[in-house]
Amino acid sequence: MTELLPLMSYCLVMSATPGPNNVLLATTGANFGGRGALPIILGIQAGMFVQTMLMCMGLSSVFVAYPMAHQVLRVGGSLYLVFLAWKLSGASAGGTQAAKAVSFAQAAAFQALNPKSWLKTITVASVFMPAGHNAFGDALLVAVIGTLVGAPCNAVWALFGMSIRHVLQDPRKQRIFNLTMGAILLVLAVMILR
């Protein structure tokens, strides 16, 4: 595979730019700190790794054969973003009834509904997978590169959230932040359905 630099650049752009995963990480970092964000980072990477392997090994042909499957994922992903927006809007770093951070398993499973994850993995499988080589080995290489590039990008978003945590000690400011992040997810959900 001679296209490592373009692949790494693509993974960097897709992992570092705003999207559902990164909004979730910034909000979690702000509300729950590093301990709350770490399982999400690991879950995102595990989900993306599996999704990349599956796409590179041929699942993308299902979307070509059955375009309705793509529509179902768009709607399901949008509905899950609405759920996440509701959950994030109610998050609180304090209080006796504090909301829980998203778990490792939830973050991993979310990749199956995250439209940006599908876009990334479909593009990686169709653009960066060489034809006629060792499919499993090439898929493994692509998935590992995606993980090595994606995990630090996700961590930056969690660190951003953690860096503003002190500002959010005021419950009113925290509520505004959480509502804003929830609204961003709602906007993303609407944009996906357009």
Side-chain angles (χ1 to χ4, degrees), residues 1 52-53 55-58 125 128-143:
M1 179 180 286
T52 301
M53 288 294 293
M55 292 305 291
C56 289
M57 296 299 292
F128 297 105
M129 273 293 290
H133 292 95
N134 175 359
F136 182 79
D138 290 340
L140 185 61
L141 177 62
V142 168

Side-chain angles (χ1 to χ4, degrees), residues 162-180:
M162 291 165 55
S163 71
I164 62 170
R165 194 170 188 192
H166 70 281
V167 174
L168 303 178
Q169 293 303 313
D170 176 359
R172 186 172 156 265
K173 290 178 183 175
Q174 183 184 38
R175 183 77 176 140
I176 291 169
F177 174 78
N178 291 341
L179 289 172
T180 301

Side-chain angles (χ1 to χ4, degrees), residues 67-118:
M68 183 56 97
H70 184 259
Q71 289 298 101
V72 169
L73 281 173
R74 280 182 42 188
V75 171
S78 295
L79 291 173
Y80 193 73
L81 286 177
V82 170
F83 168 74
L84 279 179
W86 171 74
K87 185 170 180 160
L88 293 178
S89 296
S92 170
T96 57
Q97 295 294 325
K100 287 192 214 177
V102 172
S103 71
F104 170 89
Q106 290 171 322
F110 174 57
Q111 302 320 298
L113 295 175
N114 183 346
K116 188 175 177 187
S117 296
W118 282 106

